[in-house]
Amino acid sequence: MQLGMVGLGRMGANMVKRLVAHGHECTVFDMSPKVVEELAKEKGVTGASSMADLVSKLAKPRAIWLMIPAGVVEKAIAEIAPHLESGDILIDGGNSYYIDDIRRAKELAPKGIQYVDVGTSGGVWGLERGYCMMIGGPKAAVEHLDPIFKTIAPGIGDIPHTPGRENVVSTAEQGYLHCGDSGGGHFVKMVHNGIEYGMMAAYAEGLGVLKSANIGKHTHEIDAETTPLRDPEHYQYDFNLPDIAEVWRRGSVIASWLLDLTSSALAGDPELAKFGGRVSDSGEGRWTIKAGIDEGVPTPVLTASLYERFTSRGEADFSNKILSALRYEFGGHLEKPAAK
Amino acid sequence: MQLGMVGLGRMGANMVKRLVAHGHECTVFDMSPKVVEELAKEKGVTGASSMADLVSKLAKPRAIWLMIPAGVVEKAIAEIAPHLESGDILIDGGNSYYIDDIRRAKELAPKGIQYVDVGTSGGVWGLERGYCMMIGGPKAAVEHLDPIFKTIAPGIGDIPHTPGRENVVSTAEQGYLHCGDSGGGHFVKMVHNGIEYGMMAAYAEGLGVLKSANIGKHTHEIDAETTPLRDPEHYQYDFNLPDIAEVWRRGSVIASWLLDLTSSALAGDPELAKFGGRVSDSGEGRWTIKAGIDEGVPTPVLTASLYERFTSRGEADFSNKILSALRYEFGGHLEKPAAK
Amino acid sequence: MQLGMVGLGRMGANMVKRLVAHGHECTVFDMSPKVVEELAKEKGVTGASSMADLVSKLAKPRAIWLMIPAGVVEKAIAEIAPHLESGDILIDGGNSYYIDDIRRAKELAPKGIQYVDVGTSGGVWGLERGYCMMIGGPKAAVEHLDPIFKTIAPGIGDIPHTPGRENVVSTAEQGYLHCGDSGGGHFVKMVHNGIEYGMMAAYAEGLGVLKSANIGKHTHEIDAETTPLRDPEHYQYDFNLPDIAEVWRRGSVIASWLLDLTSSALAGDPELAKFGGRVSDSGEGRWTIKAGIDEGVPTPVLTASLYERFTSRGEADFSNKILSALRYEFGGHLEKPAAK
Amino acid sequence: MQLGMVGLGRMGANMVKRLVAHGHECTVFDMSPKVVEELAKEKGVTGASSMADLVSKLAKPRAIWLMIPAGVVEKAIAEIAPHLESGDILIDGGNSYYIDDIRRAKELAPKGIQYVDVGTSGGVWGLERGYCMMIGGPKAAVEHLDPIFKTIAPGIGDIPHTPGRENVVSTAEQGYLHCGDSGGGHFVKMVHNGIEYGMMAAYAEGLGVLKSANIGKHTHEIDAETTPLRDPEHYQYDFNLPDIAEVWRRGSVIASWLLDLTSSALAGDPELAKFGGRVSDSGEGRWTIKAGIDEGVPTPVLTASLYERFTSRGEADFSNKILSALRYEFGGHLEKPAAK
């Protein structure tokens, strides 16, 4: 079927390629005319020079997919909506806050525009692996888009069927799912990312413990403010982290795609020397915690993983100064300089 | 080659089956003669009536694998060691604390007995998938046992090679690895389990947030001690958790073997009604945290996942009573009963 | 000066008593006519039969203080505002979300009504100790109310001057402070309560560790799923918690008013048997965490203390079931029943 | 009575001054002869030139108090014990691990030397305020030392009696307490310090949230990896932290001695510019967490406060690099440089 794609970054462009490779037709637009021109060389792809142009090149009822940063979706909808007509479908495939989806769906409904929110996971690997999609919005619109979702999704692939689901009828096994009403897709994607933060942190912390397992080889001074390592002979291991990440990939309980990537990252660079350790966070992790708080559901692991990222960027510095100041106040303790 | 196996529980028995299926010979012992008798029916398996009998039935240098609860390893070594001779290899494949390995290796060394510690992951699935093994101890002994490890391990299987490791020579890709000196195998396994706790908690918390995403449908009373949910319309989702766990298995960033199991667990029982939520912990999680503390390496996610387990068993009850008592003291607040 | 007080619960009534005892005049209203009647017996107190009646009995420019549950403030303002005139001051002394203050101040401004938000700490003890007040809103209105704040506040009392503040001119030393524009009072009070949660949890956890310091006296079974306590001789202490809380009150680093209350709570009931350990939370703790997340500032301690409360009320139960289900899936582990 | 004091740092010297001011006699020794000479000028103080000299100058049964860094206590005991006789009392007033106390008491018992462990809180302020003491060891020895403890302790002072303790007979109200058998004093002190870490972190985090409450005044760029602050108008406050810390000292629920010190620290230096935020930890915090883990008692708040300190010293750096590496692997995300 026909799809309009707005935003031709890594993910948008790869989706278009995946769609036309399976016989769909795509009309595409991006802020950069050069990017449009380049992609329009692919068979089945038509370039557009503006949002209005894109809309005019699509047959009704139109289906238009926005694959753009969450911060500019609002503006893009304001720009494109006036050109749309009743029956058209507008899809936000980015990382919008589900609360915005609820509002947008309500705002567009009087015009007869159906708003569909799609949380998309797969990163730069989606062209090859397919994208896992979590979908929210009106049932009829979601069903209308089924051929698109089926193509973008990974499908069953080599992945074994889940025991106990033999009689379950669901697109879930294909890698896409209508999760619920408006916002439901991004809600599930939000939580997905929250879990992702937690899993990443679990590996990172564990590898951190392995990395310092040779601490007993270093000497420590004795003073009133630090305690010597009691049993240095218990920390004499120089572990080969690349090999350890690799061995866990096979047969262990913690095998995962993130572990595959960890092994790959360590393979070339065991010290990860090219990274500084300033870790970004992009919204979904924060929103997951806020949702848990609203629900009264505790998420200590997911929250800890978010805070590690904040702290990695120096956001705890003032709090830490308070601690040092207090230690000075009650104990006369001076800060110790970093070890050389 | 020949191997003695002590302990024929799920894991020990499955390892023996996997070994004899690949042409190795196993002499086996268990506290239960019936279990020995049953397994001895398999081709290549010889039963033994005692540890001494097991030792006597093996050719020198012997290799004996203990696959028993961590709490009884000490006693088993005390019983079997007197029968062993210089050059024999004693393997602890259970979940021992690596600190015990260091001590045991030292204690057995004067007699010429080589002690090898093996952390084994794979659970009840190992017969089919193979077991991931993390190995510590003297290099010569570990190399001598290579045929055994190669057979028990999963091998490469269908799992793709890791980019960047094309020129790396290591058994890691086969699913087993000599990690370091005595204790090194169990150290790595300990951290593996710590990571496992963290990953499990990440999924559990995320699914908990999804489960309560319909909280806006319930009414809340207004009083001075609770705050009403500000935006009930944001929490109106009745998510299908089994389908969501399933859809994440394909193409998402959080795909993993633990997620496969989560999907399977939810498939039959979306409410998990047969579980009460009292979660055990078995040592490695605790030891991982202690190692991190000794090293000065923070592990907030792994620690939070351990504490969730403690709390699930009521271990925070007294602390919580303190909180209620304090709220009563300063605010006159009475505890609110559980909602019906 | 003259003040109207709406809401004669513990805090409102005590404030009125404190005000009239210092020569101010109060006109009071409460949903319960009986409560109004009772308080109106005090010298300097005039009862009112409705909000409108209360307004009519005050001289312009009026100052009216709402001391009611956060959940009903919105409704109360809607009811009283139509009776107010330009120049009147409306004070919300309860536990409103500061975001509501910002909005309300904007909504009331066109009518010339000045909205002042006051976060009030002191609990049931305020009549005797005075109330610590954190104030937000327009400077002129706050200054106009100074005689009221000065009377309700504790004053310097016996508390020593802070070294280094000899030349600081501020009402802070009196126990009240104009913190900033609208919402600023409740923002600071919100964070105050977040800190309160963290401090309470610190005491509660520490006392929990002391309480179980005799765990080495109990026997533990040995199985594959639990690890025995390695050194039971290190946990043989039956500590007297009431005495310990008391001794810390004098000269220790952790002396505080909350510790005073802890000692008092334990004095009568060392086991705190009358509490079940279901701990409420009332909004400010949650909002503090959300503010930290918006700011990107990590608050792991405050967050952990909030989550302890959620968990104490069973809100982690589903997540825990996931953990148990996963342990069953990969290891065949059954849940262990609670010890009798 | 007579006391030997070994170690004349801040705390040891101040204790001696407090003791002789109340009529006790002290014989003192320190590694620095100059320090001994200086203190020996005080009335009631006799200097000693060595441990042996100190022992020889005391009448039997001797009472000798070690007030030295935990890391050198072992060596000091080895040096002084040979000079002691049956009936003598050796007191460790430093920050020893209670597990060492248990062992030392056992080692010294055959010689008839009574070992008493005293956890001492009060920091540099003890000379003026007195020291809170938590005491472990044999009852007879502790009772023998009662005049010493009573003098060093703060006494009741101005601090009000705890309601409900009217009929309790205990030294706790004087600021010292025999907590239990050997190690019991340092166990309680250990937990005291764990609580101290948690309380300090509670204040530090809360003030951190207040410090960044003006974040809405800064602009944020929009890109795919960060989410803009949704409501910048909610974060427009430039709070005066010194005044806020001060106002909380009077009448608020979170008043404490640590808050007094916080106010003092902020008074001179609202930005705490002289501190870098590298926060030390000195053993007790770590041991508290380990004790909680052994007991199976969760301590999420205390643990989070410990980990904040680890992280402040860069100990999470490798884990953070793993996170950045993973984000690069799955999403092609590059690290963002620190804002200027």
mmCIF file of all heavy atoms in Angstrom, chain C residues 60-96:
data_model
loop_
_atom_site.group_PDB
_atom_site.id
_atom_site.type_symbol
_atom_site.label_atom_id
_atom_site.label_comp_id
_atom_site.label_asym_id
_atom_site.label_seq_id
_atom_site.Cartn_x
_atom_site.Cartn_y
_atom_site.Cartn_z
ATOM 1 N N LYS C 60 -11.561 45.090 55.229
ATOM 2 C CA LYS C 60 -10.700 45.107 54.043
ATOM 3 C C LYS C 60 -9.402 45.833 54.339
ATOM 4 O O LYS C 60 -9.421 46.810 55.083
ATOM 5 C CB LYS C 60 -11.398 45.838 52.883
ATOM 6 C CG LYS C 60 -12.719 45.259 52.485
ATOM 7 C CD LYS C 60 -13.257 46.042 51.285
ATOM 8 C CE LYS C 60 -14.785 46.029 51.299
ATOM 9 N NZ LYS C 60 -15.365 46.920 50.282
ATOM 10 N N PRO C 61 -8.313 45.517 53.712
ATOM 11 C CA PRO C 61 -8.156 44.332 52.868
ATOM 12 C C PRO C 61 -8.117 43.076 53.738
ATOM 13 O O PRO C 61 -7.429 43.047 54.751
ATOM 14 C CB PRO C 61 -6.797 44.563 52.192
ATOM 15 C CG PRO C 61 -6.039 45.433 53.148
ATOM 16 C CD PRO C 61 -7.051 46.248 53.885
ATOM 17 N N ARG C 62 -8.880 42.088 53.339
ATOM 18 C CA ARG C 62 -8.999 40.862 54.129
ATOM 19 C C ARG C 62 -7.780 39.947 53.957
ATOM 20 O O ARG C 62 -7.139 39.948 52.910
ATOM 21 C CB ARG C 62 -10.231 40.082 53.712
ATOM 22 C CG ARG C 62 -11.517 40.882 53.816
ATOM 23 C CD ARG C 62 -12.651 40.109 53.207
ATOM 24 N NE ARG C 62 -13.875 40.899 53.170
ATOM 25 C CZ ARG C 62 -14.263 41.652 52.120
ATOM 26 N NH1 ARG C 62 -13.523 41.685 51.022
ATOM 27 N NH2 ARG C 62 -15.377 42.344 52.181
ATOM 28 N N ALA C 63 -7.528 39.157 54.980
ATOM 29 C CA ALA C 63 -6.515 38.095 54.889
ATOM 30 C C ALA C 63 -7.175 36.804 55.341
ATOM 31 O O ALA C 63 -7.634 36.718 56.482
ATOM 32 C CB ALA C 63 -5.312 38.422 55.758
ATOM 33 N N ILE C 64 -7.274 35.846 54.428
ATOM 34 C CA ILE C 64 -7.976 34.589 54.750
ATOM 35 C C ILE C 64 -7.048 33.415 54.512
ATOM 36 O O ILE C 64 -6.432 33.301 53.452
ATOM 37 C CB ILE C 64 -9.241 34.452 53.881
ATOM 38 C CG1 ILE C 64 -10.190 35.614 54.206
ATOM 39 C CG2 ILE C 64 -9.919 33.102 54.099
ATOM 40 C CD1 ILE C 64 -11.399 35.687 53.305
ATOM 41 N N TRP C 65 -6.957 32.583 55.515
ATOM 42 C CA TRP C 65 -6.018 31.451 55.517
ATOM 43 C C TRP C 65 -6.817 30.155 55.376
ATOM 44 O O TRP C 65 -7.672 29.865 56.207
ATOM 45 C CB TRP C 65 -5.257 31.461 56.853
ATOM 46 C CG TRP C 65 -4.147 30.481 56.994
ATOM 47 C CD1 TRP C 65 -4.221 29.128 56.942
ATOM 48 C CD2 TRP C 65 -2.759 30.781 57.260
ATOM 49 N NE1 TRP C 65 -2.983 28.569 57.144
ATOM 50 C CE2 TRP C 65 -2.066 29.566 57.338
ATOM 51 C CE3 TRP C 65 -2.051 31.974 57.433
ATOM 52 C CZ2 TRP C 65 -0.691 29.495 57.604
ATOM 53 C CZ3 TRP C 65 -0.685 31.902 57.689
ATOM 54 C CH2 TRP C 65 -0.016 30.674 57.767
ATOM 55 N N LEU C 66 -6.522 29.397 54.314
ATOM 56 C CA LEU C 66 -7.150 28.079 54.144
ATOM 57 C C LEU C 66 -6.242 27.018 54.748
ATOM 58 O O LEU C 66 -5.077 26.903 54.369
ATOM 59 C CB LEU C 66 -7.356 27.770 52.660
ATOM 60 C CG LEU C 66 -8.124 28.801 51.821
ATOM 61 C CD1 LEU C 66 -8.171 28.353 50.353
ATOM 62 C CD2 LEU C 66 -9.539 28.979 52.362
ATOM 63 N N MET C 67 -6.783 26.259 55.696
ATOM 64 C CA MET C 67 -5.966 25.203 56.324
ATOM 65 C C MET C 67 -6.744 23.889 56.193
ATOM 66 O O MET C 67 -7.292 23.363 57.164
ATOM 67 C CB MET C 67 -5.719 25.581 57.792
ATOM 68 C CG MET C 67 -4.516 24.853 58.388
ATOM 69 S SD MET C 67 -2.939 25.488 57.700
ATOM 70 C CE MET C 67 -2.026 23.949 57.555
ATOM 71 N N ILE C 68 -6.818 23.414 54.946
ATOM 72 C CA ILE C 68 -7.700 22.291 54.610
ATOM 73 C C ILE C 68 -6.939 21.282 53.746
ATOM 74 O O ILE C 68 -5.870 21.590 53.209
ATOM 75 C CB ILE C 68 -8.942 22.801 53.850
ATOM 76 C CG1 ILE C 68 -8.518 23.637 52.634
ATOM 77 C CG2 ILE C 68 -9.807 23.662 54.779
ATOM 78 C CD1 ILE C 68 -9.692 24.219 51.846
ATOM 79 N N PRO C 69 -7.458 20.048 53.621
ATOM 80 C CA PRO C 69 -6.773 19.033 52.803
ATOM 81 C C PRO C 69 -6.516 19.543 51.379
ATOM 82 O O PRO C 69 -7.367 20.226 50.790
ATOM 83 C CB PRO C 69 -7.744 17.856 52.789
ATOM 84 C CG PRO C 69 -8.539 18.003 54.052
ATOM 85 C CD PRO C 69 -8.663 19.481 54.261
ATOM 86 N N ALA C 70 -5.347 19.183 50.822
ATOM 87 C CA ALA C 70 -4.966 19.640 49.484
ATOM 88 C C ALA C 70 -6.042 19.295 48.454
ATOM 89 O O ALA C 70 -6.280 20.047 47.514
ATOM 90 C CB ALA C 70 -3.630 19.003 49.085
ATOM 91 N N GLY C 71 -6.705 18.172 48.672
ATOM 92 C CA GLY C 71 -7.683 17.709 47.692
ATOM 93 C C GLY C 71 -8.931 18.573 47.585
ATOM 94 O O GLY C 71 -9.694 18.446 46.630
ATOM 95 N N VAL C 72 -9.193 19.448 48.554
ATOM 96 C CA VAL C 72 -10.414 20.258 48.505
ATOM 97 C C VAL C 72 -10.137 21.760 48.379
ATOM 98 O O VAL C 72 -11.055 22.569 48.382
ATOM 99 C CB VAL C 72 -11.315 20.001 49.746
ATOM 100 C CG1 VAL C 72 -11.788 18.546 49.746
ATOM 101 C CG2 VAL C 72 -10.580 20.320 51.033
ATOM 102 N N VAL C 73 -8.857 22.120 48.243
ATOM 103 C CA VAL C 73 -8.496 23.538 48.141
ATOM 104 C C VAL C 73 -9.131 24.175 46.909
ATOM 105 O O VAL C 73 -9.674 25.290 46.965
ATOM 106 C CB VAL C 73 -6.963 23.716 48.124
ATOM 107 C CG1 VAL C 73 -6.587 25.143 47.734
ATOM 108 C CG2 VAL C 73 -6.370 23.358 49.484
ATOM 109 N N GLU C 74 -9.073 23.422 45.791
ATOM 110 C CA GLU C 74 -9.598 23.973 44.538
ATOM 111 C C GLU C 74 -11.065 24.374 44.701
ATOM 112 O O GLU C 74 -11.478 25.468 44.312
ATOM 113 C CB GLU C 74 -9.470 22.883 43.450
ATOM 114 C CG GLU C 74 -9.350 23.441 42.054
ATOM 115 C CD GLU C 74 -8.064 24.223 41.847
ATOM 116 O OE1 GLU C 74 -7.020 23.836 42.412
ATOM 117 O OE2 GLU C 74 -8.118 25.260 41.138
ATOM 118 N N LYS C 75 -11.800 23.491 45.298
ATOM 119 C CA LYS C 75 -13.233 23.732 45.487
ATOM 120 C C LYS C 75 -13.457 24.916 46.447
ATOM 121 O O LYS C 75 -14.337 25.772 46.221
ATOM 122 C CB LYS C 75 -13.877 22.464 46.080
ATOM 123 C CG LYS C 75 -15.385 22.403 46.011
ATOM 124 C CD LYS C 75 -15.873 20.963 46.209
ATOM 125 C CE LYS C 75 -17.167 20.907 46.995
ATOM 126 N NZ LYS C 75 -16.994 20.861 48.463
ATOM 127 N N ALA C 76 -12.674 24.973 47.487
ATOM 128 C CA ALA C 76 -12.828 26.058 48.459
ATOM 129 C C ALA C 76 -12.537 27.416 47.826
ATOM 130 O O ALA C 76 -13.248 28.397 48.073
ATOM 131 C CB ALA C 76 -11.902 25.818 49.666
ATOM 132 N N ILE C 77 -11.506 27.457 46.991
ATOM 133 C CA ILE C 77 -11.183 28.734 46.335
ATOM 134 C C ILE C 77 -12.319 29.156 45.408
ATOM 135 O O ILE C 77 -12.709 30.333 45.359
ATOM 136 C CB ILE C 77 -9.844 28.634 45.573
ATOM 137 C CG1 ILE C 77 -8.697 28.432 46.567
ATOM 138 C CG2 ILE C 77 -9.609 29.883 44.714
ATOM 139 C CD1 ILE C 77 -7.327 28.296 45.932
ATOM 140 N N ALA C 78 -12.838 28.173 44.680
ATOM 141 C CA ALA C 78 -13.950 28.489 43.779
ATOM 142 C C ALA C 78 -15.127 29.065 44.548
ATOM 143 O O ALA C 78 -15.855 29.931 44.056
ATOM 144 C CB ALA C 78 -14.379 27.220 43.029
ATOM 145 N N GLU C 79 -15.288 28.608 45.767
ATOM 146 C CA GLU C 79 -16.425 29.045 46.571
ATOM 147 C C GLU C 79 -16.197 30.420 47.200
ATOM 148 O O GLU C 79 -17.110 31.256 47.260
ATOM 149 C CB GLU C 79 -16.682 28.006 47.675
ATOM 150 C CG GLU C 79 -18.038 28.135 48.333
ATOM 151 C CD GLU C 79 -18.257 27.032 49.363
ATOM 152 O OE1 GLU C 79 -17.652 25.933 49.194
ATOM 153 O OE2 GLU C 79 -18.991 27.272 50.330
ATOM 154 N N ILE C 80 -14.989 30.667 47.644
ATOM 155 C CA ILE C 80 -14.743 31.898 48.389
ATOM 156 C C ILE C 80 -14.358 33.077 47.491
ATOM 157 O O ILE C 80 -14.672 34.248 47.804
ATOM 158 C CB ILE C 80 -13.668 31.677 49.489
ATOM 159 C CG1 ILE C 80 -13.829 32.737 50.586
ATOM 160 C CG2 ILE C 80 -12.259 31.675 48.917
ATOM 161 C CD1 ILE C 80 -13.066 32.420 51.849
ATOM 162 N N ALA C 81 -13.709 32.777 46.365
ATOM 163 C CA ALA C 81 -13.171 33.864 45.525
ATOM 164 C C ALA C 81 -14.221 34.883 45.084
ATOM 165 O O ALA C 81 -13.941 36.095 45.091
ATOM 166 C CB ALA C 81 -12.430 33.284 44.316
ATOM 167 N N PRO C 82 -15.413 34.434 44.706
ATOM 168 C CA PRO C 82 -16.409 35.418 44.252
ATOM 169 C C PRO C 82 -16.761 36.476 45.304
ATOM 170 O O PRO C 82 -17.239 37.562 44.973
ATOM 171 C CB PRO C 82 -17.637 34.549 43.932
ATOM 172 C CG PRO C 82 -17.078 33.183 43.673
ATOM 173 C CD PRO C 82 -15.894 33.055 44.571
ATOM 174 N N HIS C 83 -16.520 36.122 46.570
ATOM 175 C CA HIS C 83 -16.848 37.088 47.647
ATOM 176 C C HIS C 83 -15.697 38.059 47.914
ATOM 177 O O HIS C 83 -15.856 39.003 48.677
ATOM 178 C CB HIS C 83 -17.183 36.331 48.933
ATOM 179 C CG HIS C 83 -18.295 35.347 48.770
ATOM 180 N ND1 HIS C 83 -19.612 35.732 48.622
ATOM 181 C CD2 HIS C 83 -18.300 34.003 48.671
ATOM 182 C CE1 HIS C 83 -20.381 34.661 48.484
ATOM 183 N NE2 HIS C 83 -19.604 33.593 48.497
ATOM 184 N N LEU C 84 -14.522 37.777 47.345
ATOM 185 C CA LEU C 84 -13.345 38.601 47.663
ATOM 186 C C LEU C 84 -13.228 39.790 46.724
ATOM 187 O O LEU C 84 -13.791 39.810 45.642
ATOM 188 C CB LEU C 84 -12.072 37.739 47.592
ATOM 189 C CG LEU C 84 -12.030 36.568 48.589
ATOM 190 C CD1 LEU C 84 -10.732 35.784 48.428
ATOM 191 C CD2 LEU C 84 -12.192 37.048 50.033
ATOM 192 N N GLU C 85 -12.461 40.785 47.177
ATOM 193 C CA GLU C 85 -12.299 42.011 46.393
ATOM 194 C C GLU C 85 -10.816 42.316 46.173
ATOM 195 O O GLU C 85 -9.953 41.749 46.837
ATOM 196 C CB GLU C 85 -12.943 43.180 47.137
ATOM 197 C CG GLU C 85 -14.443 43.052 47.226
ATOM 198 C CD GLU C 85 -15.018 44.022 48.250
ATOM 199 O OE1 GLU C 85 -15.095 43.624 49.448
ATOM 200 O OE2 GLU C 85 -15.351 45.148 47.867
ATOM 201 N N SER C 86 -10.585 43.209 45.278
ATOM 202 C CA SER C 86 -9.207 43.599 44.976
ATOM 203 C C SER C 86 -8.500 44.035 46.256
ATOM 204 O O SER C 86 -9.053 44.796 47.050
ATOM 205 C CB SER C 86 -9.188 44.727 43.950
ATOM 206 O OG SER C 86 -7.856 45.029 43.612
ATOM 207 N N GLY C 87 -7.300 43.530 46.434
ATOM 208 C CA GLY C 87 -6.536 43.872 47.626
ATOM 209 C C GLY C 87 -6.600 42.802 48.696
ATOM 210 O O GLY C 87 -5.737 42.739 49.572
ATOM 211 N N ASP C 88 -7.608 41.944 48.630
ATOM 212 C CA ASP C 88 -7.700 40.852 49.602
ATOM 213 C C ASP C 88 -6.569 39.839 49.363
ATOM 214 O O ASP C 88 -6.072 39.699 48.247
ATOM 215 C CB ASP C 88 -9.054 40.144 49.479
ATOM 216 C CG ASP C 88 -10.206 41.000 50.041
ATOM 217 O OD1 ASP C 88 -9.917 42.024 50.688
ATOM 218 O OD2 ASP C 88 -11.376 40.624 49.810
ATOM 219 N N ILE C 89 -6.233 39.158 50.448
ATOM 220 C CA ILE C 89 -5.161 38.146 50.366
ATOM 221 C C ILE C 89 -5.748 36.782 50.725
ATOM 222 O O ILE C 89 -6.413 36.632 51.748
ATOM 223 C CB ILE C 89 -4.017 38.470 51.349
ATOM 224 C CG1 ILE C 89 -3.421 39.857 51.044
ATOM 225 C CG2 ILE C 89 -2.941 37.398 51.287
ATOM 226 C CD1 ILE C 89 -2.393 40.313 52.075
ATOM 227 N N LEU C 90 -5.462 35.796 49.864
ATOM 228 C CA LEU C 90 -5.913 34.434 50.116
ATOM 229 C C LEU C 90 -4.679 33.568 50.326
ATOM 230 O O LEU C 90 -3.783 33.542 49.473
ATOM 231 C CB LEU C 90 -6.735 33.940 48.920
ATOM 232 C CG LEU C 90 -7.487 32.629 49.093
ATOM 233 C CD1 LEU C 90 -8.465 32.698 50.262
ATOM 234 C CD2 LEU C 90 -8.253 32.301 47.804
ATOM 235 N N ILE C 91 -4.637 32.894 51.456
ATOM 236 C CA ILE C 91 -3.461 32.098 51.823
ATOM 237 C C ILE C 91 -3.831 30.627 51.819
ATOM 238 O O ILE C 91 -4.810 30.224 52.442
ATOM 239 C CB ILE C 91 -2.990 32.474 53.259
ATOM 240 C CG1 ILE C 91 -2.745 33.976 53.350
ATOM 241 C CG2 ILE C 91 -1.759 31.666 53.657
ATOM 242 C CD1 ILE C 91 -3.098 34.546 54.714
ATOM 243 N N ASP C 92 -3.037 29.830 51.104
ATOM 244 C CA ASP C 92 -3.216 28.380 51.193
ATOM 245 C C ASP C 92 -2.106 27.816 52.065
ATOM 246 O O ASP C 92 -0.946 27.746 51.648
ATOM 247 C CB ASP C 92 -3.180 27.750 49.791
ATOM 248 C CG ASP C 92 -3.277 26.232 49.861
ATOM 249 O OD1 ASP C 92 -3.555 25.700 50.954
ATOM 250 O OD2 ASP C 92 -3.076 25.574 48.818
ATOM 251 N N GLY C 93 -2.458 27.430 53.268
ATOM 252 C CA GLY C 93 -1.467 26.939 54.225
ATOM 253 C C GLY C 93 -1.355 25.426 54.263
ATOM 254 O O GLY C 93 -0.637 24.886 55.099
ATOM 255 N N GLY C 94 -2.055 24.752 53.353
ATOM 256 C CA GLY C 94 -2.040 23.286 53.356
ATOM 257 C C GLY C 94 -0.892 22.733 52.527
ATOM 258 O O GLY C 94 0.143 23.376 52.366
ATOM 259 N N ASN C 95 -1.108 21.523 52.002
ATOM 260 C CA ASN C 95 -0.042 20.852 51.284
ATOM 261 C C ASN C 95 -0.293 20.811 49.785
ATOM 262 O O ASN C 95 -0.156 19.780 49.142
ATOM 263 C CB ASN C 95 0.125 19.425 51.828
ATOM 264 C CG ASN C 95 0.914 19.416 53.126
ATOM 265 O OD1 ASN C 95 1.847 20.188 53.290
ATOM 266 N ND2 ASN C 95 0.542 18.538 54.039
ATOM 267 N N SER C 96 -0.628 21.959 49.202
ATOM 268 C CA SER C 96 -0.892 21.994 47.766
ATOM 269 C C SER C 96 0.366 21.738 46.959
ATOM 270 O O SER C 96 1.482 21.999 47.404
ATOM 271 C CB SER C 96 -1.463 23.368 47.360
ATOM 272 O OG SER C 96 -2.808 23.469 47.749
#
